[in-house]
Amino acid sequence: MTDAMIRFEAVSKVYPTRSGEVRSLDGVSLEIRTGEFVALRGPSGCGKTTLLLAAGGMLRPTSGNVAVGGESLYALGPAERARFRARNLGFVFQMFHLVPYLDVLSNVLLAAVPSGLAKDEAEQRARGILGRLGLGPRLGHRPADLSTGERQRAAIARALLNQPRLLLADEPTGNLDPANEREVFGHLREFHRAGGTVVVVTHGNTANEYADRVVSMEAGKVIGSGGESLRALGA
């Protein structure tokens, strides 16, 4: 059996509208292996963010099954799914989603609440992660006092606090300049090299330098799943 971190089985997501149904996902079947770095690419509206949210247990499909680490996410009740998400998944978003009135350290420590991580251990971890991400001198600063690159690094630190098995990132460099873009992808690669699984939604080509595989989507379907390593091919 394939060692799949994520398995999508005939996953569809349909939204009813006044003018008819909008099919965001259309029978997607896909496996992402444990320890793989995958980039999801495609035009706006192709369904890639919907697929990422389904993998994160945040958007129930209309039909089909989503399993993460062998656990069927939507067979779990809401509370169980939230606990599973907190203990196994980390999320990084384009808009950072930092709480504006909290400092960097407090923003990162928010991730400890749903996971049940002890306060002292959580703070020790948070300080260590922020130090590795170059934010040690910025622990007491609020998001408004940070550069955009620093805000995204703080968001990455929050995603890593609970030592997730899987990191899901939705356009994590969409607001960044090229230098900060490469820095963020470098941190994602470090997580990957340590054994973590990474799935990134992206429009750009920079991810090709870091990903094992690019999965292309169009109109709610997977149209290419890149069977060989891009880096092995020198792409």
Side-chain angles (χ1 to χ4, degrees), residues 10-180:
V11 173
S12 293
K13 181 63 179 179
V14 179
Y15 296 97
T17 70
R18 292 180 180 179
S19 56
E21 292 183 341
V22 173
R23 190 168 290 271
S24 182
L25 295 175
D26 190 4
V28 172
S29 293
L30 176 70
E31 282 191 1
I32 293 171
R33 295 181 293 276
T34 299
E36 196 173 19
F37 191 137
V38 171
L40 288 177
R41 287 181 54 191
S44 295
C46 71
K48 56 189 185 297
T49 293
T50 302
L51 194 67
L52 193 79
L53 293 175
M58 295 186 288
L59 186 64
R60 180 183 292 275
T62 305
S63 61
N65 185 58
V66 180
V68 173
E71 187 75 62
S72 183
L73 285 185
Y74 297 96
L76 300 174
E80 290 176 292
R81 190 162 61 250
R83 283 192 293 271
F84 181 87
R85 196 164 53 229
R87 292 170 181 167
N88 295 282
L89 281 67
F91 299 89
V92 183
F93 299 100
Q94 180 178 354
M95 300 306 295
F96 320 128
H97 296 306
L98 299 173
V99 179
Y101 55 82
L102 295 179
D103 62 28
V104 168
L105 181 61
S106 298
N107 263 287
V108 173
L109 289 173
L110 286 175
V113 176
S115 70
L117 187 63
K119 181 179 178 181
D120 289 347
E121 183 180 359
E123 183 165 340
Q124 183 178 4
R125 276 192 204 174
R127 289 179 179 274
I129 295 167
L130 286 165
R132 291 197 301 274
L133 294 177
L135 291 172
R138 310 290 271 170
L139 300 186
H141 289 68
R142 295 183 181 182
D145 300 321
L146 305 178
S147 69
T148 53
E150 288 172 333
R151 290 177 201 171
Q152 193 58 291
R153 279 184 276 148
I156 290 171
R158 182 182 57 198
L160 296 177
L161 182 68
N162 294 324
Q163 299 177 340
R165 301 157 63 196
L166 171 63
L167 199 58
L168 302 173
D170 187 11
E171 296 285 2
T173 61
N175 289 324
L176 305 182
D177 60 40
N180 278 300

